[in-house]
Amino acid sequence: MKKSKQFWPFIGSAIAAYAVIQLLISMGILDDFYSNILIFMSINIILAVSLHLIIGITGQFSLGHAGFLAVGAYISAIVTMKLDLPFPVAILLAGIMATLAGLVVGIPSLRLRGDYLAIATLGFAEIIRIIFLNIDYVGGAAGMQVTHMTTWTYAFVCLFVTILVIVNFTNSRHGRACISVRENEIAADAMGINTTYYKVMAFAIGAFFAGVAGALYAHNFYIIQPQNFGFLKSIDILVYVVLGGLGSLSGAVVATVLLTIVSTFLQDYPETRMIIYSLVLIIVMLYRPKGLMGTMEITDYFKLWRSWKGDKQHGK
Amino acid sequence: MVNDPLLQVKGVGIQFGGLKAVSNFNLKINQGELIGLIGPNGAGKTTSFNLLTGVYAPTEGEILFDGKRINGLPPFKVTQRGISRTFQNIRLFNELSVIDNVKVAYHSLAKHSVLSSILRLPSHFSGEKEMEKKAMEFLKIFELDKYKDEDAKNLPYGKQRRLEIARALAAAPRLLLLDEPAAGMNPQETKDLMELIAFVRKEFNLSILLIEHDMNLVMGICERIYVLDHGVLLAEGTPEEIRNNPKVIEAYLGEEVHDEHA
């Protein structure tokens, strides 16, 4: 089948990419600055891809992704700093607790549609932030000190698993059910799809990986504070997904890479940083109103290119 | 027990605020029958479809399918019990390919779990392969197989209608509800469609309930006809009886004679 044909090249190129970068890091060619950008990029991609499942695939407009990120960050910090458990356990627990948070929000609020769901999830994310702000155990407004534990290897493995799970989920009857909810909820219902179940499922999987990203995030920045997980963080993630093209996973990845690079290099010009960043967004949306990739995936471009080449040869 | 009707609607009605859209609606469909439901615009035809499929819960009365109560069930459960439908205004999954549209309807008949799909276990591959095979069978019957990778939104109108019926059939219904399947089709397309409906009915051993505006068409293929007007059942009977029923003639054609009703 075509899916399994794509599978091995994907694994192969992923391992190759990992090995090359790991080699460059250990040889000292990529210094801390660059490896940090790569880690930060991986975290952002995990966030973008998990939100892509909720918004791009299932069509549920959620503005609460920073809330799940916060749950993951704080839970993982508690696990490593207070309970002295190993980092991988913290990553896993962060994901699980974020999933639970996703279920708590998702089950009541996914009855709502469109704008109303967006407002409800936005409210939820704020509630989470304020809860952490008021718990002294995690440091309140001053935040919580966290040891730096996130390495390129952790970031890469989490990123790889995230993409693999979400691609596999999307390319199955379950993913099709989610897309059918996005395309026409009434028809999906009439075709025997339990729409609530799949909305909650997409929400839970998305929340899990946002929690994982939270664990990486917390252990990358030495300190976490509630203000890092505000409304603007949710918007940041949303921008990656929309800019890449709603419904395109590779689009979300490309947009995240691009915007992370832009915003990192603009850090040297703090006065103009947000102006240039916003200009980039406006220009992309003007020239690619459906996002960088529309609903296409990178593999679709390969297919197009191959059939175009085939036509040319037939023409001769 | 053998003679029990497949679908029995007893005194069903629904009220939206102060408006009684449908009241005291009675209907009986036996195994294998092709029934027509007609009536002027706004008579409550589509509302009664929505009542049968669980989109609305009736405020009065009872719906029995295969002897079991189905009113109050959500639409997806009604479909899983064996009632599937098409829509008056086509509702395809536009951005999905033609074959994926059919696969979505086959969804609840496949068994492979979320976990098996994420881990790509053998049950995922066998399950997906079977879905592909089944979906192709339906596309072939409806002569849509050569468009299988096309996005549904790119199909011409008549083919979209056919795809909607193919999709409804893929949900393995025992009762198929068609809401104006020939709307917007030219006479030749309508004729082809009617032959197709007769064929799938035999092939899949279906009962069919059909809403249609085109009187000739309904009279031509339905065994019994129900007539709705202003949310109440006006008449039921064979096409011959309906054609000669004075109340039906008045509701449909009499408007010009009795100007005060218009």
Side-chain angles (χ1 to χ4, degrees):
Chain A
M1 281 180 73
K2 68 169 191 256
K3 291 282 147 27
S4 48
K5 259 188 209 161
Q6 285 173 8
F7 183 70
W8 291 110
F10 170 67
I11 302 259
S13 50
I15 292 174
Y18 167 73
V20 168
I21 289 172
Q22 183 59 34
L23 195 71
L24 291 177
I25 290 174
S26 57
M27 281 164 63
I29 298 176
L30 283 178
D31 58 16
D32 275 359
F33 175 71
Y34 288 103
S35 69
N36 236 321
I37 294 179
L38 285 171
I39 291 171
F40 190 50
M41 206 179 265
S42 307
I43 295 173
N44 283 341
I45 295 176
I46 295 174
L47 286 170
V49 168
S50 57
L51 188 64
H52 148 86
L53 178 65
I54 299 173
I55 297 187
I57 297 295
T58 320
Q60 304 304 307
F61 201 80
S62 164
L63 281 179
H65 226 52
F68 303 130
L69 178 72
V71 171
Y74 273 97
I75 294 293
S76 68
I78 291 169
V79 171
T80 55
M81 304 311 296
K82 309 263 181 188
L83 308 177
D84 282 329
L85 290 169
F87 188 39
V89 178
I91 296 178
L92 201 63
L93 275 175
I96 291 168
M97 291 308 287
T99 310
L100 289 180
L103 292 176
V104 169
V105 196
I107 291 171
S109 60
L110 285 169
R111 294 164 197 279
L112 303 172
R113 284 181 194 176
D115 316 349
Y116 303 102
L117 177 65
I119 301 289
T121 49
L122 173 66
F124 151 76
E126 283 300 292
I127 290 173
I128 297 227
R129 191 176 66 82
I130 286 163
I131 287 176
F132 285 125
L133 188 66
N134 285 295
I135 297 180
D136 288 334
Y137 182 66
V138 294
M144 192 175 172
Q145 298 237 336
V146 190
T147 319
H148 181 96
M149 292 189 195
T150 305
T151 60
W152 163 245
T153 308
Y154 276 120
F156 182 83
V157 170
C158 290
L159 173 62
F160 179 74
V161 171
T162 306
I163 292 183
L164 194 67
V165 166
I166 288 178
V167 167
N168 280 355
F169 179 81
T170 309
N171 292 321
S172 73
R173 75 180 177 112
H174 310 287
R176 272 195 302 273
C178 287
I179 299 177
S180 76
V181 172
R182 175 191 80 193
E183 288 297 307
N184 197 321
E185 198 172 335
I186 293 173
D189 207 353
M191 289 305 121
I193 306 279
N194 185 346
T195 54
T196 312
Y197 174 82
Y198 277 104
K199 284 196 260 180
V200 171
M201 168 79 70
F203 221 70
I205 295 178
F208 179 88
F209 288 111
V212 168
L216 298 173
Y217 183 92
H219 293 79
N220 193 36
F221 287 103
Y222 302 97
I223 187 161
I224 45 171
Q225 291 170 307
Q227 73 206 38
N228 300 345
F229 307 105
F231 170 56
L232 285 175
K233 186 70 196 170
S234 290
I235 299 288
D236 273 348
I237 308 168
L238 179 69
V239 166
Y240 299 143
V241 178
V242 174
L243 198 76
L246 281 176
S248 167
L249 185 140
S250 24
V253 174
V254 171
T256 312
V257 170
L258 184 80
L259 290 183
T260 309
I261 292 172
V262 170
S263 92
T264 307
F265 285 100
L266 285 176
Q267 270 166 2
D268 297 340
Y269 314 97
E271 323 78 44
T272 48
R273 175 167 169 255
M274 279 327 282
I275 298 175
I276 297 177
Y277 189 81
S278 310
L279 275 177
V280 171
L281 294 185
I282 293 171
I283 290 168
V284 172
M285 288 330 275
L286 277 178
Y287 288 95
R288 307 283 305 201
K290 284 189 146 181
L292 288 172
M293 312 267 295
T295 52
M296 306 261 283
E297 297 291 352
I298 284 198
T299 46
D300 296 336
Y301 284 108
F302 287 149
K303 257 182 247 158
L304 270 183
W305 184 66
R306 227 174 272 154
S307 69
W308 176 77
K309 223 172 66 172
D311 284 352
K312 225 172 123 185
Q313 274 167 0
H314 280 294
K316 271 179 191 172
Chain B
M1 285 302 281
V2 184
N3 292 327
D4 268 359
L6 182 65
L7 180 80
Q8 212 169 356
V9 180
K10 293 179 184 166
V12 162
I14 185 166
Q15 197 159 355
F16 298 112
L19 175 78
K20 274 207 159 170
V22 173
S23 59
N24 197 22
F25 181 53
N26 292 292
L27 182 105
K28 213 165 75 178
I29 301 177
N30 295 314
Q31 185 66 49
E33 268 189 313
L34 205 172
I35 307 289
L37 180 63
I38 62 172
N41 278 333
K45 302 184 297 286
T46 297
T47 306
S48 37
F49 258 38
N50 285 338
L51 286 168
L52 293 182
T53 51
V55 176
Y56 303 139
T59 44
E60 57 188 65
E62 194 178 35
I63 305 169
L64 298 175
F65 182 68
D66 211 10
K68 290 184 200 99
R69 247 180 93 109
I70 57 162
N71 45 323
L73 287 182
F76 76 91
K77 284 207 172 132
V78 173
T79 307
Q80 288 172 0
R81 292 278 180 93
I83 301 182
S84 152
R85 71 175 292 182
T86 65
F87 295 88
Q88 184 179 358
N89 44 345
I90 302 175
R91 287 180 182 274
L92 288 171
F93 307 124
N94 282 330
E95 298 275 345
L96 278 176
S97 68
V98 167
I99 190 164
D100 281 354
N101 265 272
V102 179
K103 281 187 194 169
V104 168
Y106 193 72
H107 173 89
S108 41
L109 291 116
K111 293 282 177 291
H112 52 289
S113 66
V114 174
L115 205 62
S116 79
S117 287
I118 288 176
L119 299 176
R120 286 292 190 254
L121 300 178
S123 64
H124 163 83
F125 289 107
S126 58
E128 291 287 326
K129 210 169 172 183
E130 197 201 319
M131 285 179 105
E132 176 98 13
K133 202 179 106 212
K134 283 280 176 194
M136 272 317 280
E137 280 172 23
F138 286 108
L139 290 185
K140 279 205 181 101
I141 292 173
F142 286 82
E143 293 164 8
L144 293 165
D145 43 329
K146 59 173 175 285
Y147 304 101
K148 80 182 178 78
D149 292 322
E150 196 70 50
D151 278 358
K153 65 175 178 201
N154 296 336
L155 285 187
Y157 182 82
K159 295 210 161 53
Q160 289 195 359
R161 285 248 172 239
R162 289 166 84 98
L163 176 58
E164 229 200 358
I165 300 175
R167 187 181 66 174
L169 280 176
R174 294 169 63 197
L175 172 65
L176 180 64
L177 309 182
L178 301 174
D179 197 344
E180 298 202 24
M185 285 188 167
N186 66 35
Q188 183 56 43
E189 283 175 327
T190 307
K191 196 170 152 278
D192 291 347
L193 182 74
M194 286 306 138
E195 281 164 10
L196 193 65
I197 290 174
F199 170 77
V200 293
R201 174 191 174 198
K202 235 193 246 157
E203 181 80 14
F204 296 97
N205 191 20
L206 282 175
S207 311
I208 296 177
L209 178 64
L210 182 81
I211 292 180
E212 193 45 78
H213 261 314
D214 189 331
M215 285 290 261
N216 289 328
L217 191 154
V218 181
M219 297 286 174
I221 66 167
C222 294
E223 278 130 33
R224 282 189 298 126
I225 293 174
Y226 288 81
V227 186
L228 268 178
D229 189 24
H230 295 106
V232 285
L233 214 49
L234 202 64
E236 72 156 288
T238 61
E240 200 55 37
E241 287 164 2
I242 294 296
R243 208 189 306 264
N244 299 320
N245 187 316
K247 280 198 277 182
V248 177
I249 296 172
E250 190 186 307
Y252 258 91
L253 310 166
E255 287 163 342
E256 284 172 49
V257 183
H258 306 281
D259 262 341
E260 66 272 20
H261 286 294

